[in-house]
Amino acid sequence: MSVATGRSRSKSIYDVSAFEGMDEYSALQQYISCYRDSRPNEFANDAQTAKPKWWQFWKSGPTGAEVSQGAIVPPEFLDTDFRGGLSTHEVETRRKRYGPNEITTEKVNMFKQILSYFTGPILYVMEIAAILAAGLEDWIDFGVIVGILLLNAFVGWYQEKQAADVVASLKGDIAMKATVIRDGAEQHILARELVPGDIVVIEEGQTVPGDVRLICSYDKPEDVAIYNQMKAEEKFADESDPDNEKKEDDDEDQVDPDGMPIPQSHSIIACDQSAITGESLAVDKFIGEVAYYTTGCKRGKAYGIVLTSAKHSFVGRTASLVQGAKDQGHFKAIMDHIGTVLLVLVMFFIMAAWIGGFFRHLRIATPHGDSNTLLRYALILLIVGVPVGLPVVTTTTLAVGAAYLAKQKAIVQKLTAIESLAGVDVLCSDKTGTLTANKLSIREPYVAEGQDVDWMMAVAALASSHNLKSLDPIDKLTILTLRRYPKAKEILNMGWRTEKFTPFDPVSKRITAVCYMGGDKYVCAKGAPKAILNLSECDEETARLFREKTAEFARRGFRALGVAYQKNDGPWILLGLLSMFDPPREDTAQTIIEAQALGVPVKMLTGDAIAIAKETCKMLALGTKVYNSHRLIHGGLNGTTQHDLVERADGFAEVFPEHKYQVVEMLQQRGHLTAMTGDGVNDAPSLKKADCGIAVEGSSEAAQAAADIVFLAPGLSTIVLAIKTAREIFQRMKSYVQYRIALCLHLEIYLVTSMIIIRETIRVELIVFIALFADLATVAVAYDNAYSDERPVEWQLPKIWVISVILGVLLALGTWVLRGTLFLPNGGIVQNFGSVQEILFLEVALTENWLIFVTRGGKTWPSFQLVAAIFAVDVIATLFCIFGWMSGEPMVTDPPTAWVQRGDGWTDVVTVVLIWLYSIGVTVIIAVVYVCLNKIKWLDDLGRKDRSRKNPVIENTIAALSKLALEHGVDKHGTERYVLAQRAVEEEDDE
């Protein structure tokens, strides 16, 4: 969508300026009728940032000291005139110094990234093999080995770049926007383009684009004098801690050191700081106070000045705490383990080959060009013994999967998170905005006896703000609900006029509006049920029913609002109750059922009251074993009992961020792979702690920075797709790993035993091409069709090794049987003419290539890409055999081959057909064995971890130690000592 299109759509749906010129109630009617609940797509332009020159390949961002002093902003930078703002030249200067205004993970140095494709145990071995080939002056092998390394690096880079490009394009959709004053005019830009000292406009509905000190109300620019006075007298609060500012706000009578009151007026905006401080109510902000980065403005419109870049804001510093640890991940540990074991096996087989070679009186490197030398055996085994394609194939598989998930609105920020997600067996999920729609809805209201529901809904709408530019969510809901009550809409069309509106007051706990219709005066009110009941003068029976209905709504988890009115200063008349509820998303129940069918139960963690949590669980078919956080932390439970509660619970209510972290940690201690969803700054630690952290749609930048996966689509439905996709990717990698280990063992076993028994090997040039063909063909594994396992998957390494070793031995036996026929006087499989080297080369290439069809399983048909890639490689291998390419001189074996080989290495077509048929037979036998192995119960469970690993001794010991503290004291002899003592109760409470 173009920018223009996005803006026009935004205007048609949201631009309340279309109602300007209308009277109050006409605009209200038009708003109710025309409102559309969708989101605009604005300002998709990319920010312009300084980039290194093309030749500065070692640099990845702003150079030198451009951002070295990003945390220090000189006071003169904050003296910007709020009417004119900064100039374009000054903005560019500051951007070079402070960098973009965004929380970003550390960018990868391009030069280091290129080098990373040539580092690692497996790649080091191939590099040693290239050096060895150069030392032996075997330039063809050297060129092919270097080509394999470059091919692997290019494919890995290209696939990662493709995935990164898709992710980058989608991230533009969630970029934060800002309204800034520059060169004397208002401009709409991306928030990442802001610099310290910029003057921004903050208004209701926007996200604060940085740590911003408020200057004055947008409608009262003359109040800048108050700001300047506070600045001159250094009366600004410390912006580093939101809680400090909140405490100062709580002091109603603030005075300066001289005893004079600080010049302070009414609040100019209100911000939702729940993601930072956990406060559920919006916090009033006054002149000189700081509105914090990523918080939402809920009311008002004001000018402010950006204090620092996002990286050094309060939220940015919080996010940096969870970015420091560079966890290599479970997947890399698995790959390193496989690579290390294969290297050990290579060293073993090289040693066996050299010992056998000494008994065969082989020389180390001479004669020149002879494959039967010890160094050439080492070179051959180095090439075949390590799967050089393993890193690139696994990376490619993950990158292709990440690109696919990105198209499904799930941005994978760390490729290895896909492997973790495939094994997740517990999902801890937020309620609001994830399980529920985060959209309050009014259920069937309670109407007092003798009252009319349409009149009650009209009064509720009258007792609401009619400022369509900054509607409170509850007022907005109340007004839009009139769509369901046409008669109530008609009542509002009877010539009403609002004389005075009083917004919600925390003291009176109600909203009131003084309205006139005809010659009558009406005072309309809505608010807390108790406050509204106290206003009215109803009889005891009506009050009793009202209280009972209020209690019933509370038990069902509904938020209740009372409605009443007064006519011509007469008695207050109680009309009834509005019941509001955040309904579950339409797809949530089905998503939870599908997740549970995949072996991933959902545990709900919410800050709402336990009644609301249980009601939501009932509606979503979740279990109702929901406990409040007090029982988890202060319920007298510890050790094993506490861990059992976390495992058994279906969710926890009234939780704080530390509770979420603790739940995730306890589940991990029990052996569960845990996924965690979150959206706020305080969720960042638990997102980082989880095996797979997921930032849901609409999450803060800090949560996105800490998460492994970011969802752009609302709700949890994407996670089921992500889990299934992750398990498919896992199956591809698992089948490739089994295949590649078997290939390594195949040639190691055959070549070493062949050298020791008959003093023969396959020429190193042909071995190099076998390795090349294997890598070329199996890169297509990333695009293969795969199935999604019905339960969480895991790397059962013992099972993988057992099956791979058996497959490798069977492949080696198949090659030995073919080689054995070639000792027959008539040449065995040879029909007319041929070459032992080429015949062995073709049989090895065919059986190894086709093994991937065995290890991938038969639950899905192979993809066209995989079949085409392997067929193409098989055709090339066949041409090698027919035309004798790189066959070399026939080797003299012990015992010798009886029939005469062609000197040019050619093999007749009939023989080639027999080799194909023989290879098919070998593959069928291996497939039958593979199927039988996977049906063995004990082998299927070999290496499977216990998903609920309980260790009461350790858990109870840790719980007991947590109650102890190290105390410092002095004994009676005056010697200082540190002793273990029971931790003070007050200390526990503080925690």
Side-chain angles (χ1 to χ4, degrees), residues 241-251 254:
D241 187 356
D243 286 328
N244 288 346
E245 203 164 73
K246 177 180 180 297
K247 290 172 184 176
E248 292 180 9
D249 290 345
D250 291 340
D251 298 332
Q254 297 183 46

Side-chain angles (χ1 to χ4, degrees), residues 106 163 186 196 247 344 369 374 403 431 445 456 514 517 529 546 556 616 656 764 812 853 858 893 905 956 969 976 989:
E106 185 179 351
E186 284 191 14
K247 290 172 184 176
V344 171
L374 296 180
K431 180 185 77 71
M456 184 181 82
V514 179
M517 194 267 290
F546 187 85
R556 295 173 59 189
T616 305
F656 291 100
V764 65
F853 293 126
T893 60
N956 291 331
E976 292 186 351
D989 290 338

Side-chain angles (χ1 to χ4, degrees), residues 184-199:
E186 284 191 14
Q187 302 177 21
H188 299 285
I189 63 173
L190 292 174
R192 72 186 308 272
E193 296 182 14
L194 292 175
V195 296
D198 255 327
I199 302 298

Side-chain angles (χ1 to χ4, degrees), residues 275-276 315 317-325 656-665 668 674-694 700-708:
I276 297 178
V315 170
R317 293 193 301 273
T318 303
S320 66
L321 297 177
V322 295
Q323 289 179 4
F656 291 100
E658 57 267 27
H659 302 149
K660 295 182 181 181
Y661 186 95
Q662 189 172 13
V663 168
V664 171
E665 187 176 41
Q668 289 175 328
T674 308
M676 175 72 200
T677 67
D679 58 359
V681 176
N682 281 345
D683 291 327
S686 55
L687 289 173
K688 193 72 174 179
K689 175 67 176 174
D691 298 287
C692 186
I694 300 170
S700 66
E701 287 198 1
Q704 292 176 12
D708 302 313

Side-chain angles (χ1 to χ4, degrees), residues 15 31 58 97 113 207 222 259 320 423 430 442 454 577 646 796 811 825 928:
D15 192 358
Y31 178 77
W58 62 88
R97 177 169 180 176
Q113 185 179 15
T207 300
E222 63 274 10
S320 66
D430 280 336
I442 291 182
D454 294 301
L577 287 168
V646 170
Q796 296 173 256
L811 285 170
V928 171

Side-chain angles (χ1 to χ4, degrees), residues 120-134:
I122 293 174
L123 295 169
Y124 292 150
V125 173
M126 286 299 290
E127 288 154 13
I128 293 172
I131 295 171
L132 185 55

